[in-house]
Amino acid sequence: MGILSLPQLLLFQLILNLLLSFSVSWAGSDSAPDQDFVQCLLSHSQPSHPISEAIYIPNNASYASVLRSYIRNLRFNTCSTPKPFLIITPLHESHVQQAIVCAQKQNLLMKIRSGGHDYEGVSYVSDLPFFLLDMFNLRSIDIDINSETAWVQAGATLGELFYRIYEKSKIHGFPAGVCPTVGVGGHFSGAGYGNLMRKYGLSADNIIDAQLMDVHGRLLDRKSMGEDLFWAITGGGGASFGVVIAYKINLVRVPQTVTVFRVERTLEQNATDIVYRWQYVAPKLDTDLFIRLTMEVVNITGGPLSTGGENYKTIRASFIGFFLGNSERLLSVMETGFPELSLKQSDCIEMSWVESVLFWTSFPIGTEPEALLSRKPQVLVHLKRKSDYVKTPIPKIGLMWIWQKMIEFEVPIMSFNPYGGKMSEIPESATPCPHRAGNLWKIQEAYFNYKDLDLGINNNGKASYFEGRAYGIRYFKDNFDRLVRIKTEVDPGNFFRNEQSIPTLP
């Protein structure tokens, strides 16, 4: 061995010290991972970007806070929830490369998390030993208003993206979800929808380039990865094919003034008839208008079901509207297309697009846009969600049965989101997300970002392809087999896998 330079000696000493500290930390642990993995990470670390600062083990004082910071479903924040044996929070793209290369050498399971909003915790929970690659530090956003494009790293949140657009322009936006703490990486790669989808389609419909670290540790863009792989990670889930580092998106135009409203009606205020009518008109209204319908059980006092003024339960339907224009034009559209709601001028609130994002996230009117930069959710809940598509309106007798069941169970909340517009114009094969024309609305949504493990779990064994079809056909319809072929080509060893990943061919 030759004489080491000073930088090499310093790096060698750092590696030795870290290995010694890890050995002490893991001593006596029954579930200690192979220390060769950590040694591999450190030995591949670049002196200019040391990975040691991005590694957390259970005995590290910051491990628990790093893990819990992006758990958005309280179902997976318990003492019995399986935890990763190690967390890597990349500070540089080279850290992602090192994690992929070293994990394959040690045959270790890697989970990838951006915002932690996946309903089933698939990005940070597993019954098998695993480590977590948490992308939250890779969060740069580069807005280019002249070209109306932006590069957004996977660890950025939607709120951060919306705010950075607002900083540069008051007439641009982007079609994505309305929850600002959702991570870009999972949201975009799984399709991404929001209240601009009737006008501009899904997030995935507006992605024009990407950076992906593949199974060989190569950083690829759209040209070098090819159109098949690019297609797969714009709606088919990035975590099955590699680690998405960043997406390039087309910004969309929005007016300086938009209008929002929230109108509530109970069963005693003719909610059944209004909901029934909403089914027919919401998917056909002007594409500048999006009206979400949310139904929940509430307690009210007095009324036809009460004899002595006592409380009783009823259904409250909330019609939450977003319109790309001023209130005068909105009222004209509503008077013609949905007069049953009886929308009034006093119901309408004019504001900027970025302020409408805050409204839809239930921030108080007047909240400053800087609130979008907070990564702390307004609420954390313990939830399980189910979803589906509706192609035929529900008859009134069916709606009344739904009300009865909701009141019986008290807890359920239902959200209907209208389709139509741009969603009916884009072919099913344009992106992996095929749920387009023919859908009137979605009950939440049976698409990949709303994972539901009740649809099937992949054990990633010999029956992987057939287990994958159980949920894959429901998420992707005829696009599933194309995703499988791409997966087989780019990751034949199925390194990038989880409970509902795209399988390889048998």
Side-chain angles (χ1 to χ4, degrees):
M1 184 176 179
I3 298 175
L4 297 176
S5 65
L6 180 59
Q8 288 173 320
L9 282 170
L10 292 173
L11 177 60
F12 180 79
Q13 185 63 47
L14 173 63
I15 292 172
L16 180 61
N17 290 341
L18 282 166
L19 284 174
L20 288 173
S21 67
F22 283 138
S23 297
V24 171
S25 298
W26 278 330
S29 173
D30 294 333
S31 59
D34 192 335
Q35 294 179 30
D36 289 344
F37 177 51
V38 177
Q39 183 175 3
C40 179
L41 291 171
L42 296 172
S43 64
H44 283 78
S45 183
Q46 299 177 4
S48 57
H49 301 287
I51 197 172
S52 57
E53 301 173 11
I55 298 175
Y56 298 85
I57 60 173
N59 287 356
N60 186 291
S62 300
Y63 171 91
S65 62
V66 170
L67 177 62
R68 292 172 182 165
S69 291
Y70 293 92
I71 296 177
R72 305 306 188 210
N73 187 344
L74 295 180
R75 286 171 57 203
F76 307 112
N77 193 13
T78 69
C79 294
S80 60
T81 302
K83 311 293 192 299
F85 63 75
L86 180 144
I87 303 173
I88 300 175
T89 60
L91 298 162
H92 187 261
E93 60 194 31
S94 64
H95 298 166
V96 178
Q97 179 189 54
Q98 292 150 29
I100 293 172
V101 171
C102 292
Q104 287 184 89
K105 287 183 178 180
Q106 304 302 319
N107 193 29
L108 298 175
L109 176 62
M110 177 173 73
K111 291 299 187 90
I112 309 164
R113 182 169 76 173
S114 55
H117 274 267
D118 55 324
Y119 288 161
E120 298 284 17
V122 167
S123 65
Y124 55 87
V125 176
S126 176
D127 290 331
L128 300 173
F130 72 103
F131 75 95
L132 174 62
L133 187 74
D134 200 315
M135 302 293 287
F136 69 86
N137 281 322
L138 296 179
R139 59 208 283 185
S140 71
I141 300 171
D142 184 14
I143 308 288
D144 185 348
I145 290 299
N146 290 331
S147 65
E148 298 184 300
T149 63
W151 273 103
V152 191
Q153 285 194 316
T157 64
L158 298 185
E160 289 167 345
L161 172 60
F162 296 154
Y163 183 81
R164 298 308 172 197
I165 296 173
Y166 154 77
E167 278 186 318
K168 295 292 183 72
S169 170
K170 305 304 182 284
I171 58 168
H172 286 87
F174 187 74
V178 298
C179 182
T181 58
V182 168
V184 161
H187 188 70
F188 286 9
S189 71
Y193 85 95
N195 56 19
L196 279 171
M197 71 177 181
R198 300 188 67 246
K199 181 71 172 183
Y200 291 114
L202 305 172
S203 300
D205 298 324
N206 295 275
I207 295 173
I208 56 176
D209 204 345
Q211 291 181 329
L212 177 82
M213 195 72 72
D214 75 356
V215 72
H216 304 294
R218 301 175 300 186
L219 185 61
L220 307 175
D221 61 9
R222 180 173 183 171
K223 182 177 180 180
S224 56
M225 76 176 71
E227 287 302 304
D228 273 353
L229 183 50
F230 177 74
W231 176 86
I233 64 170
T234 53
S240 292
F241 304 94
V243 179
V244 175
I245 304 296
Y247 282 109
K248 186 178 184 180
I249 58 175
N250 272 330
L251 305 181
V252 301
R253 294 289 184 97
V254 296
Q256 287 191 330
T257 299
V258 303
T259 306
V260 298
F261 63 84
R262 183 185 185 97
V263 174
E264 298 176 345
R265 299 286 187 265
T266 64
L267 296 184
E268 295 70 33
Q269 296 169 321
N270 207 28
T272 300
D273 288 343
I274 301 173
V275 169
Y276 179 76
R277 184 59 182 161
W278 175 93
Q279 299 180 97
Y280 288 89
V281 302
K284 298 178 181 179
L285 290 169
D286 190 308
T287 56
D288 286 341
L289 179 57
F290 182 93
I291 305 178
R292 169 179 285 180
L293 169 60
T294 298
M295 291 151 290
E296 58 190 326
V297 179
V298 295
N299 290 315
I300 65 174
T301 302
L305 300 181
S306 173
T307 57
E310 69 273 11
N311 291 341
Y312 73 96
K313 295 178 179 18
T314 188
I315 297 295
R316 180 175 66 197
S318 299
F319 300 84
I320 310 161
F322 168 81
F323 182 68
L324 289 163
N326 60 31
S327 58
E328 182 180 358
R329 189 163 75 87
L330 169 59
L331 289 169
S332 176
V333 170
M334 290 292 287
E335 184 178 352
T336 302
F338 192 16
E340 292 81 2
L341 188 59
S342 301
L343 186 71
K344 300 179 178 62
Q345 179 67 53
S346 58
D347 298 320
C348 302
I349 309 172
E350 293 183 345
M351 55 181 58
S352 66
W353 174 74
V354 74
E355 289 172 328
S356 78
V357 175
L358 294 164
F359 170 85
W360 270 71
T361 317
S362 299
F363 280 100
I365 298 294
T367 298
E368 293 297 323
E370 284 75 14
L372 294 173
L373 298 176
S374 172
R375 291 193 159 218
K376 185 177 180 180
Q378 291 162 275
V379 294
L380 287 173
V381 294
H382 184 287
L383 62 86
K384 169 70 178 182
R385 293 191 176 176
K386 310 295 292 184
S387 56
D388 208 345
Y389 295 95
V390 178
K391 299 179 183 295
T392 304
I394 302 170
K396 287 185 182 180
I397 190 172
L399 291 174
M400 289 187 285
W401 181 88
I402 292 174
W403 310 153
Q404 179 183 341
K405 287 299 180 182
M406 289 181 68
I407 291 172
E408 178 182 341
F409 292 112
E410 297 187 21
V411 177
I413 297 175
M414 299 189 74
S415 291
F416 292 179
N417 296 278
Y419 271 50
K422 190 73 171 179
M423 293 298 291
S424 295
E425 299 170 6
I426 299 173
E428 289 190 357
S429 60
T431 71
C433 182
H435 305 286
R436 307 283 189 167
N439 293 310
L440 298 177
W441 72 87
K442 57 181 169 54
I443 306 173
Q444 278 285 341
E445 187 170 349
Y447 87 110
F448 196 62
N449 271 355
Y450 282 174
K451 289 186 183 70
D452 180 359
L453 294 185
D454 293 343
L455 299 180
I457 292 178
N458 200 325
N459 295 297
N460 292 296
K462 292 183 178 180
S464 176
Y465 172 76
F466 301 100
E467 291 175 343
R469 281 191 66 85
Y471 54 83
I473 293 296
R474 299 195 186 194
Y475 291 140
F476 306 113
K477 297 170 68 173
D478 291 342
N479 291 332
F480 173 71
D481 282 330
R482 182 181 176 188
L483 288 168
V484 171
R485 289 194 297 272
I486 296 168
K487 166 72 172 181
T488 304
E489 180 180 347
V490 303
D491 183 21
N494 197 26
F495 171 71
F496 296 107
R497 63 191 185 274
N498 58 54
E499 290 78 1
Q500 283 195 343
S501 55
I502 301 297
T504 54
L505 286 169

